[in-house]
């Protein structure tokens, strides 16, 4: 029998070949053919033994018979695979009707300033208006319900994506947890760096080999991404192509989706990007439910903080050589401190980003601050260790009173910090922590989730 009798390995037949070539010690992975393979071989061999032919003829009979059976089984299996692929997915529309609204559940963007969502009957237009600071243009994604036609009147630069998305990669720790919150873990097949992640459910799937690492930035593993073939890849942009992942991913024919959550200047605005993720999976109802509950909790804690009789002064950030990096007065951290009933020492500044100021300039204010929030990626076991790194901190009032804190209480053995996952997505918890630090009498029963008070001396 010539090789031409065997079906060619094409994109349509590849699913069957993956099953056929699965390890034979995993019956569930082999499929119906694999489970019965030992019995098929035994049957062919038995036929040869009982024909009374020579050993050579027996071997020839087995080989020919086996090839014939393989060919027939391949043809039947591939036919089934093709039929399965032609059938619409469970979430696809079988018969399109332009009069039907296929998105009865919609979302409204309340606090986020970096994206918008507009609905039509069978498609949504999601626009990222501020992908990175200083961006002159945004990104538009037209999300078309599976089984319905793409609209004609869409922008030339828009990316058309069929929804609900069935597989995705996440190249940031801040939106990877969306997959857990929206019950979408089975669609997450790749992340940038596993060590950056804290979420136990995601880590379990990484360790089980269900989620791969493909790196990030301009050095993202394009070859592996192509092999995994996620329908979309959620990533971020800086505006500098030499550092960004999305240009190389798009050039390779993959579909990057830009998430600009880090540009948001309010805690509720940044957390609202769960709705952005949800739009690609038709998870509007779940996202609305999660966000509404979190927003209510946040506002309740902020309302309690308004009752505080005093406002402790707060400094944030640390020095690197002769530059002290502090959050601007219109930044995410400044808003958290304000809502927690604190008096941020740079509240009058209008910057939304980080300010690199001279050490002496910041120190003149910081020396009298009641509370010092380090916001450091480095973990210090004591204030003594902080002073060893920079002795000039010694005269600060917060240092003398051991009122120094860092947001690294929930860090796993790989360095994954849950502040950037659960914290960013649930700022009500971040706010409650800060209220506990600034006004412990207002939340007597609250246990700190993300912030850790740094002791004067290392533990013995």
């Amino acid at each position: 029998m010539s090789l031409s009798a065997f079906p060619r390995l094409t994109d349509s037949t590849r699913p069957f070949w993956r099953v056929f070539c699965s390890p034979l010690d995993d019956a569930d992975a082999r499929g119906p053919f694999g489970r019965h393979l030992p019995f098929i071989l035994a049957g062919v061999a038995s036929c040869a033994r009982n024909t009374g032919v020579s050993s050579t003829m027996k071997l020839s009979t087995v080989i020919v018979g086996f090839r014939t059976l393989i060919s027939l089984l391949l043809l039947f299996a591939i036919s089934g695979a093709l039929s399965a692929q032609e059938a619409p997915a469970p979430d696809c529309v079988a018969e399109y009707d332009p009069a039907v609204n296929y998105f009865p559940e919609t979302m409204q963007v309340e606090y986020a300033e970096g994206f918008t969502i507009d609905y039509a009957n069978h498609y949504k237009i999601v626009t990222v208006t501020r992908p990175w600071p200083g961006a002159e243009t945004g990104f538009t994604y037209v999300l078309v319900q599976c089984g319905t036609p793409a609209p004609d009147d869409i922008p030339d630069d828009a990316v058309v994506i069929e929804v609900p998305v069935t597989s995705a990669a996440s190249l940031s720790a801040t939106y990877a947890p969306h997959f857990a919150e929206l019950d979408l873990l089975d669609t997450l097949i790749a992340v940038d760096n596993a060590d950056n992640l804290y979420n136990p459910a995601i880590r379990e799937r990484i360790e089980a080999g269900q989620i791969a690492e493909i790196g990030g930035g301009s050095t993202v593993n394009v070859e592996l991404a192509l092999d995994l073939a996620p329908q979309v890849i959620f990533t971020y942009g800086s505006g500098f192509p030499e550092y960004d992942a999305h240009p190389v991913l798009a050039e390779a024919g993959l579909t990057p989706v830009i998430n600009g959550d880090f540009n948001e200047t309010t805690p509720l605005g940044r957390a609202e990007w769960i709705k952005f993720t949800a739009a690609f999976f038709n998870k509007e109802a779940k996202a609305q439910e999660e966000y509404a509950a979190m927003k209510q909790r946040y506002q309740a804690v902020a309302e309690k903080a308004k009752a505080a009789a005093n406002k402790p002064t707060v400094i944030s950030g640390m020095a690197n050589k002769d530059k002290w990096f502090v959050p601007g007065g219109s930044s995410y951290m400044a808003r958290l401190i304000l809502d927690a009933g604190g008096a941020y020492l740079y509240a009058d500044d209008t910057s939304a980003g980080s300010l690199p100021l001279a050490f002496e300039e910041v120190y003149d204010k910081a020396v009298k601050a009641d509370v010092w929030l380090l916001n450091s990626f480095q973990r210090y076991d004591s204030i003594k260790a902080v002073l060893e790194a920079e002795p000039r901190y010694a005269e600060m009032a917060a240092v003398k009173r051991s009122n120094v804190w860092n947001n690294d209480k929930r860090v796993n053995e790989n360095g994954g910090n849950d502040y950037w996952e659960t914290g960013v997505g649930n700022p009500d918890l971040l706010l409650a922590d800060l209220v506990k630090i600034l006004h412990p009498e207002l939340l007597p029963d609250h246990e700190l989730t993300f912030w850790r008070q740094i002791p004067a001396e290392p533990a013995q």
Side-chain angles (χ1 to χ4, degrees), residues 47-387:
C47 288
R49 284 195 301 270
N50 293 324
T51 56
V53 297
S54 66
S55 298
T56 302
M57 288 297 292
K58 285 180 183 179
L59 179 59
S60 176
T61 302
V62 170
I63 292 172
V64 172
F66 179 61
R67 283 181 175 176
T68 302
L69 279 171
I70 289 293
S71 298
L72 290 171
L73 287 165
L74 282 172
L75 289 170
F76 282 121
I78 291 168
S79 175
L82 289 172
S83 299
Q85 287 193 348
E86 290 168 0
D91 292 317
C92 283
V93 174
E95 294 184 10
Y96 170 59
D97 182 349
V100 173
N101 179 8
Y102 293 102
F103 302 119
E105 298 284 350
T106 62
M107 298 179 292
Q108 294 75 43
V109 180
E110 303 173 63
Y111 294 89
E113 298 181 346
F115 76 98
T116 61
I117 305 177
D118 297 295
Y119 288 87
N121 273 7
H122 71 283
Y123 65 94
K124 325 167 196 180
I125 297 181
V126 178
T127 305
V128 179
T129 56
R130 192 169 182 246
W132 52 77
E136 296 181 358
T137 59
F139 292 82
T140 301
Y141 305 99
V142 179
L143 311 184
V144 181
Q145 174 60 37
C146 178
T148 71
D152 296 325
D153 53 341
I154 59 174
D156 293 337
D157 59 349
V159 178
V160 178
I161 298 171
E162 194 174 76
V163 294
V165 164
T166 56
S167 64
S170 173
L171 304 190
S172 172
T174 61
Y175 33 90
H178 293 173
F179 290 84
E181 293 180 47
L182 297 172
D183 300 326
L184 292 169
L185 281 177
D186 59 333
T187 69
L188 182 62
I189 63 172
V191 296
D192 56 342
N193 184 343
D195 288 346
N196 291 338
L197 295 169
Y198 181 94
N199 186 281
I202 295 177
R203 293 207 58 83
E204 182 179 340
R205 293 178 72 87
I206 291 171
E207 290 162 10
Q210 296 170 307
I211 297 176
E213 294 180 80
I214 61 174
S218 59
T219 59
V220 61
N221 191 333
V222 175
E223 185 177 348
L224 180 54
L226 285 168
D227 214 25
L228 294 167
Q231 190 179 345
V232 297
I233 300 176
F234 292 101
T235 185
Y236 54 88
S238 67
F240 299 97
E242 62 270 27
Y243 298 112
D244 290 339
H246 68 275
V248 292
L249 292 170
E251 185 179 354
L254 293 160
T255 306
V257 173
I258 299 296
N259 181 310
D261 67 343
F262 67 96
N263 294 296
E264 299 293 340
T265 59
T266 65
L268 291 178
R270 187 167 189 178
E272 196 166 17
W273 280 76
I274 190 173
K275 296 180 182 179
F276 176 83
T277 303
F280 290 80
F281 298 89
N282 292 352
K283 284 285 188 174
E284 276 85 351
K286 181 67 172 175
Q288 287 278 79
E289 177 187 352
E290 294 287 334
Y291 184 79
M294 181 280 301
K295 181 182 72 171
Q296 185 175 20
R297 295 192 300 267
Y298 186 98
Q299 292 173 335
V301 174
E303 194 63 30
K304 283 189 176 183
K306 289 180 180 178
N310 66 313
K311 293 184 179 296
T313 53
V314 180
I315 190 65
S316 182
M318 297 186 73
N320 181 10
K321 297 182 180 179
D322 287 329
K323 291 291 183 182
W324 193 321
F325 293 83
V326 300
S330 296
S331 67
Y332 181 96
M333 179 54 68
R335 181 56 184 267
L336 268 176
I337 294 170
L338 174 66
D339 287 349
Y344 181 47
L345 293 178
Y346 282 86
D348 293 337
D349 178 80
T350 58
S351 303
S354 181
L355 302 173
L357 303 176
F359 183 94
E360 294 77 11
E361 180 183 352
V362 178
Y363 188 79
D364 287 343
K365 290 187 175 185
V367 68
K368 295 181 180 180
D370 298 312
V371 179
W372 184 15
L373 305 175
L374 299 186
N375 280 322
S376 173
F377 287 106
Q378 182 173 342
R379 186 177 179 87
Y380 293 96
D381 63 357
S382 63
I383 293 177
K384 180 181 179 181
V386 175
L387 295 178

